Amino acid sequence: MSIEAAYDHCERITGEQAKNFSYGIRLLPPLKRRALSAVYAFARLVDDIGDGDAPATERLAGLNEVRERLHNLADHKDDPVAVALGDATLRFGLPLGAFDELIDGCQADVLGTAYESFEDLRHYCRCVAGSIGRLSLAVFGSPDQARDSELADALGVALQLTNILRDVLEDRRNGRIYLPAEDLRRFGCTLDLDADGNLVDDEDALSALLAYQGARAEEWYTIGLRLLPRLDGRSRACCAAMAGIYHRLLARMMTRPWLVRSSRTSLPDWEKVLVAARSLAGSRP
């Protein structure tokens, strides 16, 4: 398979399946956009296996297989994602070990891992989202990768904490609880469901719990967004758009946190486009 065809395949996946991610990636120049599409396509493959409906043993086996593929990209010349990812790694020096961490995080999901403390949860967030932040940073480029990778990691944690708050009801219906157990006890919440599949916790207690988690996410945004001035204009616009959409989503959830009892908060497409447009305008000197 040609490299061009491989990248085309990855860009189709990104265009069709990357929701919030795609608003930022469109702002990149072609080479960086295609490389980040390869990163997304491989991450999508890992996530789809981990979140699939197959029995846990089959999903774990699938994750082991994709890990083997990651470590031997050159042996998979008929796999468009492997071909594109291999080329992107040569061009941008992608830290492929970050994908090992993503796979570790997805394995934890399959095993139903619970999190006693925030430090436990932070490690999970670093695996499933900080990893993508570090891979993206390699594509963006920075004068000090070692220094800036910590900020990319922090921004990934902020985005994943936002995801966890957005999906708290959906995750609970799927048998998963990501919020730290020590915080649930602190606020007197259980995240138990009623017969209709809605959260039964007292509205005030649940709102206080979510506000606490939201403030924690905001602290990680404060750290992670320090990355933006260290990126070139188009990369800064891309990063600002992706982070801005999630940051605005967090702000919306925090205005009415009790709504997570029965629904999933989202932003309309026009608002995502607005965030992306402002990010691009702000990237210009």
Side-chain angles (χ1 to χ4, degrees), residues 16-53:
E16 293 169 0
Q17 300 187 38
K19 297 176 182 177
N20 296 334
F21 192 80
S22 65
Y23 286 93
I25 200 171
R26 295 170 187 167
L27 305 179
L28 289 171
L31 284 177
K32 290 185 177 183
R33 185 180 68 243
R34 289 166 80 80
L36 210 51
S37 292
V39 168
Y40 175 83
F42 193 87
R44 179 78 269 158
L45 173 63
V46 174
D47 285 343
D48 285 348
I49 294 171
D51 292 338
D53 297 326

Side-chain angles (χ1 to χ4, degrees), residues 39 64 134 158 169 202 208 231:
V39 168
N64 286 333
R134 281 173 270 128
L169 177 61
D202 174 77
L231 303 176

Side-chain angles (χ1 to χ4, degrees), residues 138-264:
V139 175
F140 294 153
S142 84
D144 189 336
Q145 288 278 335
R147 175 199 64 189
D148 294 342
S149 65
E150 295 183 8
L151 299 179
D153 212 40
L155 192 54
V157 171
L159 269 58
Q160 187 61 26
L161 291 175
T162 304
N163 269 339
I164 288 170
L165 289 173
R166 179 195 64 190
D167 297 339
V168 64
L169 177 61
E170 180 181 336
D171 287 334
R172 186 64 186 90
R173 287 171 173 172
N174 290 326
R176 296 177 181 171
I177 295 177
Y178 289 98
L179 297 182
E182 64 181 14
D183 292 341
L184 294 178
R185 293 192 297 270
R186 175 179 177 179
F187 289 93
C189 294
T190 63
L191 300 187
D192 288 340
L193 301 175
D194 61 21
D196 296 322
N198 297 321
L199 296 169
V200 301
D201 289 309
D202 174 77
E203 183 175 298
D204 290 339
L206 184 61
S207 295
L209 168 66
L210 297 177
Y212 179 76
Q213 302 300 330
R216 173 178 278 156
E218 192 64 52
E219 292 175 359
W220 285 92
Y221 277 110
T222 299
I223 298 170
L225 288 172
R226 294 174 189 162
L227 175 65
L228 294 181
R230 301 178 178 182
L231 303 176
D232 68 77
R234 295 282 287 277
S235 296
R236 182 166 62 250
C238 174
C239 187
M242 291 188 289
I245 288 169
Y246 279 90
H247 202 188
R248 185 171 289 209
L249 177 62
L250 176 67
R252 175 164 295 185
M253 287 190 290
M254 291 304 98
T255 60
R256 295 183 294 174
W258 62 87
L259 290 181
V260 304
R261 290 168 61 95
S262 57
S263 63
R264 184 177 188 264

